[in-house]
Amino acid sequence: MDRISAQLAFLTEADRLKSVNRATTLCDASRRENSAEHSWHIALYALTMAEHAIRPVNVGRVIQMLLLHDIVEIDAGDAPIHGAPDPEAQAALEQAAADRLFGLLPPDQRDTYRALWEEFEAAETDDAIFAKSIDRVQPVIANLETGGGSWIEYSVTTAQLETRVGSKVKRGAPAIWEALKLRIDRWFEANT
Amino acid sequence: MDRISAQLAFLTEADRLKSVNRATTLCDASRRENSAEHSWHIALYALTMAEHAIRPVNVGRVIQMLLLHDIVEIDAGDAPIHGAPDPEAQAALEQAAADRLFGLLPPDQRDTYRALWEEFEAAETDDAIFAKSIDRVQPVIANLETGGGSWIEYSVTTAQLETRVGSKVKRGAPAIWEALKLRIDRWFEANT
């Protein structure tokens, strides 16, 4: 297959990410958010808030990771933060999804995209640590905007939120977590 | 307002782009596409196909433009390529939308984002010319995948497609248009 045809095959398959729904809703609570629009939104979060990264990041690489980070969900589905999936089974599904989906691309791009996705998942480099942080920020805002959202649905406590979300946001962007924490504490005081 | 609060106010308002629907549908024709998921998809198109730009581009800047390019639609709505809106009225609406929406940001970011959006709209720099090209590619694929899509809805002819889409794709990425043209001609031969 020629190069443009392979690229278009990948991009056409990527369209299916628009039909993968997440646990969180839009800020007006009208419907669940899908993983494609979520990916756009957190890329915009990263562009706008990169100055709050704990260490300097290459925002272009962070955005590339975030554009790609959920594509495996086309085959593996979305594992909600506050759900209780089997992490090993989920990881195996995601590896198989990465093989198939990135495998649609020309080999050089397949390897580049796979490496960016693996780097994101490993969360060890400064770019990946910040990308993972920002990925956790947007659902907090969606829950605050919708009067609790998935926190109510999954009966989340502040302690769970601190472990599952706070620790990850703080690792990459402590100033952002500090700002969110004020709003979260206010919400939990008023609602629990 | 502090910096993080201003950034979050902008990012929360941006959520509404997920509720702006476009003329084209998803590739499985299940529903209309919204402008937020479209923005993700064409950022991924740009990342994947930047090598076909007519002149070398800074793909990071192209992606930034594409993440921002439709945000004005939150206030101004989407003007379909094959519809017949009043271009001057639409432009005035979009300028007012840019004032309000980018105005939510801290002043330095307001000015940076506004400049990127104006550069995209003007389509004069190499980055903007390529960004505009790639923005026209994805609806062609969606129409081909759904058996005609908005071409049927708006009774589009090959001549109109050449003027409204082809000329813009060719200007920034002639090799991509050449590949699309083969598929488009095949569709029109079989269906008109």
Side-chain angles (χ1 to χ4, degrees):
Chain A
M1 196 189 288
D2 69 283
R3 211 166 155 84
I4 289 183
S5 296
Q7 290 166 336
L8 289 176
F10 169 76
L11 291 164
T12 303
E13 191 69 9
D15 196 78
R16 293 172 56 204
L17 194 60
K18 299 167 189 170
S19 301
V20 175
N21 287 328
R22 294 164 46 81
T24 43
T25 67
L26 303 196
C27 287
D28 65 3
S30 55
R31 61 169 172 83
R32 289 199 186 274
E33 188 189 31
N34 71 60
S35 291
E37 62 200 2
H38 162 74
S39 296
W40 163 75
H41 207 178
I42 57 163
L44 191 62
Y45 264 80
L47 181 63
T48 306
M49 304 194 92
E51 67 191 49
H52 307 295
I54 192 163
R55 286 175 296 277
V57 291
N58 177 334
V59 72
R61 291 190 80 245
V62 170
I63 288 172
Q64 288 182 18
M65 279 180 205
L66 292 172
L67 293 176
L68 296 170
H69 83 296
D70 273 346
I71 282 184
V72 294
E73 293 180 359
I74 288 171
D75 288 354
D78 178 52
I81 308 175
H82 300 301
D86 174 347
E88 278 183 37
Q90 185 66 22
L93 277 176
E94 292 184 355
Q95 287 291 333
D99 286 346
R100 185 183 80 79
L101 291 158
F102 297 133
L104 296 168
L105 287 161
D108 60 313
Q109 290 188 312
R110 172 196 67 204
D111 295 346
T112 305
Y113 285 18
R114 179 66 173 254
L116 275 165
W117 176 70
E118 300 275 5
E119 181 180 339
F120 174 82
E121 286 294 307
E124 285 165 1
T125 63
D126 288 346
D127 290 347
I129 288 168
F130 179 67
K132 281 263 180 193
S133 290
I134 214 76
D135 189 30
R136 302 286 179 170
V137 171
Q138 185 239 343
V140 171
I141 298 292
N143 283 339
L144 286 169
E145 289 288 319
T146 54
S150 67
W151 297 335
I152 294 172
E153 193 177 346
Y154 292 95
S155 307
V156 176
T157 65
T158 38
Q160 288 170 331
L161 203 58
E162 193 70 44
T163 313
R164 295 175 192 167
V165 181
S167 63
K168 275 150 190 152
V169 178
K170 261 190 287 191
R171 188 170 171 225
I176 298 177
W177 183 246
E178 207 179 304
L180 292 181
K181 193 73 174 69
L182 289 173
R183 299 176 189 212
I184 290 167
D185 286 347
R186 218 179 299 140
W187 187 86
F188 275 91
E189 273 160 33
N191 293 281
T192 54
Chain B
M1 196 188 289
D2 69 283
R3 212 167 154 83
I4 288 183
S5 296
Q7 291 166 335
L8 289 176
F10 169 75
L11 291 164
T12 303
E13 191 69 9
D15 197 77
R16 292 172 57 203
L17 194 59
K18 299 168 189 170
S19 301
V20 176
N21 288 327
R22 293 163 48 80
T24 42
T25 67
L26 303 196
C27 287
D28 65 3
S30 56
R31 61 169 174 81
R32 288 199 186 275
E33 187 187 33
N34 71 61
S35 291
E37 61 199 3
H38 162 74
S39 297
W40 163 76
H41 207 177
I42 57 163
L44 191 62
Y45 265 79
L47 181 64
T48 306
M49 304 194 92
E51 67 191 50
H52 307 295
I54 193 163
R55 285 174 297 277
V57 291
N58 178 334
V59 72
R61 291 189 80 245
V62 170
I63 288 172
Q64 288 181 18
M65 279 179 204
L66 292 173
L67 293 176
L68 296 170
H69 83 296
D70 273 346
I71 282 183
V72 294
E73 293 181 358
I74 288 170
D75 288 355
D78 177 54
I81 307 174
H82 301 298
D86 173 348
E88 277 184 38
Q90 184 66 21
L93 277 177
E94 292 184 356
Q95 287 291 332
D99 287 345
R100 187 184 79 80
L101 291 158
F102 297 134
L104 296 168
L105 287 161
D108 60 313
Q109 290 189 312
R110 173 197 66 205
D111 295 346
T112 305
Y113 285 17
R114 180 65 173 255
L116 275 166
W117 176 71
E118 300 276 5
E119 181 179 340
F120 173 83
E121 286 294 308
E124 285 165 2
T125 63
D126 289 345
D127 290 347
I129 288 168
F130 179 67
K132 281 263 180 193
S133 289
I134 214 76
D135 189 29
R136 302 286 180 172
V137 171
Q138 186 240 342
V140 172
I141 298 291
N143 283 338
L144 286 169
E145 289 288 319
T146 55
S150 68
W151 297 335
I152 294 171
E153 193 176 347
Y154 292 94
S155 308
V156 176
T157 64
T158 38
Q160 286 170 332
L161 203 58
E162 193 69 43
T163 313
R164 296 175 192 168
V165 181
S167 64
K168 275 153 190 151
V169 178
K170 261 191 287 191
R171 190 171 170 225
I176 299 177
W177 182 247
E178 207 179 303
L180 292 181
K181 194 73 175 66
L182 289 174
R183 299 174 188 213
I184 290 167
D185 286 347
R186 218 179 299 141
W187 187 87
F188 276 90
E189 273 161 31
N191 292 281
T192 55

